């Protein structure tokens, strides 16, 4: 029975595997670690599968070939599902992650109370290749910065990490990652507190090509949205709702400035309101409350309009009541109006969240 399972997701990594597997094996031998290596390949069109089968004659490799599915995160989960070790370590196949760091990550994970270990580029002693251009550096920094609300780890985007099986099993059923960042998903969902970062040097791949496409980067944003909803729940929905509300102000003013050329003012204002309400509806349906985007649109749109109207009535009532009841607000009408806006928005939000875009069991829960 292996103590450690090393999961290596691959897509077209034939040449790299030939180097990686013997290097891992040497490291394990030198440090007396009994481990299995699980390669999860998504039916690569190159020689990956054949190379892996040949290597399996000399090394403790289990090859999982997935024919129906593609994707780094789900490949890692499939690998962990098949793993036998009590400790799990995930790393890339392209030699960006030094196999020589495996014993350090493994040792750190065995320390009392440690939940999660990262092979980290961004702690003291860690590094990336010096030839990274400014764009790549900036890209990596922004992606890391966007993960700040979810974790204090310095390198939460790392694909080189270790976690114990019992920790993993606690959240197995609620994992729902899109794209690349399975490490971040685990950090957040496991509510990992004691995270240790072992410094590593992240080398650039010399063989094969990166699969991190622009599409994957967009997936990252969708992933962040899901994590925000998981961690912050209604606050996360409200922030999205508020941002979209703000875009509505601009849509409204832009539409009005155009419409005024053709229509008389009262009509132009009404049409501008209708346009911005409709764009807000579409944005909320597809982004904020995207879990409800498969529900029939017409009924949803009409209830949305009703909800906005209700919000507007509460807005008006609040502002008017404040002005009539307090001399202070009578003199500061704008402040009363602002509080009215907030109240109306809160009502509108609650109606949207629980009525217009209500979560139904039959609706696919995807962000
Ligand atoms: N099974 C499977 N399916 N494996 C995949 C897939 C897929 O769809 N896409 C990529 N992989 C494998 C690659 O073969 C490689 O072993 C590993 O996942 C990482 O893929 P790369 O294409 O080399 O990614 P990268 O170098 O751009 O990104 C790496 O560094 C990032 C930090 O800079 C990854 O480790 C990321 O997780 C990490 O965030
Ligand atoms: Mn890589």
């Amino acid at each position: 029975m292996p103590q450690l399972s090393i999961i290596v997701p691959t897509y077209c990594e034939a040449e790299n595997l030939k180097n990686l597997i013997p290097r891992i094996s040497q490291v394990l031998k030198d440090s007396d670690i009994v481990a299995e290596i699980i390669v999860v390949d998504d039916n690569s069109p190159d020689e990956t599968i054949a190379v892996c089968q040949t290597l399996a004659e000399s090394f403790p490799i289990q090859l999982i070939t997935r024919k129906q599915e593609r994707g780094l995160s789900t490949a890692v989960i499939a690998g962990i599902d098949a793993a036998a070790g009590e400790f799990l370590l995930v790393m890339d196949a392209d030699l960006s992650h030094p196999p020589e760091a495996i014993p350090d990550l493994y040792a750190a994970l065995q320390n009392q109370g440690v939940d999660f270990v990262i092979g980290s580029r961004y702690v003291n002693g860690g590094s990336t290749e010096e030839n990274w251009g400014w764009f790549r550096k900036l890209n990596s920094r922004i992606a890391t910065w966007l993960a700040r609300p979810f974790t204090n780890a310095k390198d939460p985007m790392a694909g080189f990490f270790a976690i114990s099986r019992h920790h993993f099993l606690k959240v197995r059923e609620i994992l729902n990652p899109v794209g690349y960042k399975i490490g971040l998903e685990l950090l957040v969902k496991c509510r990992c507190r004691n995270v240790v970062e072992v410094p590593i040097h992240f080398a650039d791949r010399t063989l094969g090509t990166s699969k991190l496409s622009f599409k994957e980067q967009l997936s990252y944003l969708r992933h962040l949205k899901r994590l925000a909803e998981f961690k912050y729940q209604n606050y996360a929905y409200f922030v999205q709702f508020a941002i979209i509300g703000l875009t509505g102000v601009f849509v409204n003013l832009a539409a009005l400035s155009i419409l005024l050329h053709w229509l008389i003012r009262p009509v132009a204002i009404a049409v501008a309101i209708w346009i911005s309400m409709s764009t807000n509806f579409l944005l909320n349906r597809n982004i904020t409350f995207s879990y409800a985007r498969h529900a029939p649109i017409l009924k949803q749109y009409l209830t949305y309009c009703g909800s906005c109207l209700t919000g507007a009535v509460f807005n008006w009532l609040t502002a008017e009541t404040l002005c009539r009841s307090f001399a202070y607000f009578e003199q500061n009408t704008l402040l009363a109006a602002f509080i009215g806006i907030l109240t109306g928005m809160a009502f509108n939000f609650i109606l949207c969240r629980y009525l217009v875009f209500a979560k139904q069991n039959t609706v696919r829960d995807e962000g």
Side-chain angles (χ1 to χ4, degrees), residues 1-5 32-36 84-88 106 110:
M1 189 76 161
Q3 310 157 297
L4 176 68
S5 300
D32 270 334
I33 300 172
V34 182
E36 62 173 349
E86 177 48 36
F87 296 99
L88 311 159
Y106 181 46
Q110 284 172 306

Side-chain angles (χ1 to χ4, degrees), residues 234 246 317:
N234 269 341
L246 203 60
L317 276 177

Side-chain angles (χ1 to χ4, degrees), residues 229-287:
E229 286 158 12
F230 171 81
K231 186 157 178 176
Y232 299 107
Q233 300 180 18
N234 269 341
Y235 295 106
Y237 289 111
F238 187 76
V239 168
Q240 296 177 74
F241 185 78
I243 293 173
I244 285 172
L246 203 60
T247 67
V249 175
F250 294 101
V251 171
N252 184 307
L253 296 180
L256 186 60
S257 64
I258 297 169
L259 290 168
L260 280 173
H261 293 295
W262 295 309
L263 302 172
I264 55 166
R265 197 191 56 225
V267 181
I269 292 178
V271 176
I273 290 176
W274 172 71
I275 289 175
S276 57
M277 193 169 69
S278 303
T279 55
N280 274 11
F281 165 74
L282 289 174
L283 290 171
N284 277 318
R285 174 180 159 94
N286 288 295
I287 299 175

Side-chain angles (χ1 to χ4, degrees), residues 89-225:
L89 183 143
V90 177
M91 69 189 297
D92 292 352
D94 58 359
L95 298 165
S96 283
H97 302 145
E100 291 68 30
I102 292 175
D104 290 346
L105 267 77
Y106 181 46
L109 188 63
Q110 284 172 306
N111 285 333
Q112 190 66 34
V114 172
D115 297 326
F116 196 88
V117 181
I118 299 174
S120 175
R121 298 163 288 177
Y122 300 137
V123 284
N124 270 344
S127 54
T128 54
E129 215 66 52
E130 280 181 4
N131 59 10
W132 273 27
W134 66 269
F135 182 74
R136 188 163 173 199
K137 271 191 199 144
L138 186 71
N139 203 333
S140 175
R141 288 292 173 174
I142 290 178
T144 307
W145 180 78
L146 286 173
R148 269 291 85 86
F150 304 104
T151 166
N152 291 325
K154 295 270 186 301
D155 193 0
M157 320 309 260
F160 193 17
F161 61 85
I163 184 172
S164 70
R165 163 189 296 284
H166 99 102
H167 232 71
F168 173 83
L169 285 180
K170 280 197 288 193
V171 294
R172 171 67 184 87
E173 292 313 314
I174 54 165
L175 295 178
N176 187 19
V178 259
Y180 254 45
K181 308 302 171 194
I182 176 66
L184 178 65
E185 172 90 359
L186 287 169
L187 267 173
V188 175
K189 297 234 165 130
C190 293
R191 302 185 198 276
C192 292
R193 284 175 190 284
N194 199 351
V195 178
V196 173
E197 295 189 63
V198 174
I200 61 144
H201 174 71
F202 184 96
D204 276 345
R205 66 157 72 232
T206 50
L207 301 165
T209 50
S210 167
K211 285 94 206 168
L212 182 62
S213 56
F214 180 65
K215 195 174 143 236
E216 291 293 350
Q217 310 218 17
L218 284 184
S219 294
Y220 176 53
L221 294 181
R222 283 173 56 214
H223 191 193
L224 285 180
K225 172 176 155 56

Side-chain angles (χ1 to χ4, degrees), residues 334-365:
L334 286 187
L335 187 61
F338 185 67
I339 296 174
I341 290 173
L342 293 183
T343 316
M345 191 168 134
F347 270 98
N348 194 2
F349 173 73
I350 292 168
L351 287 174
C352 281
R353 173 92 172 91
Y354 295 108
L355 184 77
V356 182
F357 302 105
K359 229 175 206 170
Q360 281 148 10
N361 295 333
T362 48
V363 173
R364 263 175 289 162
D365 185 8

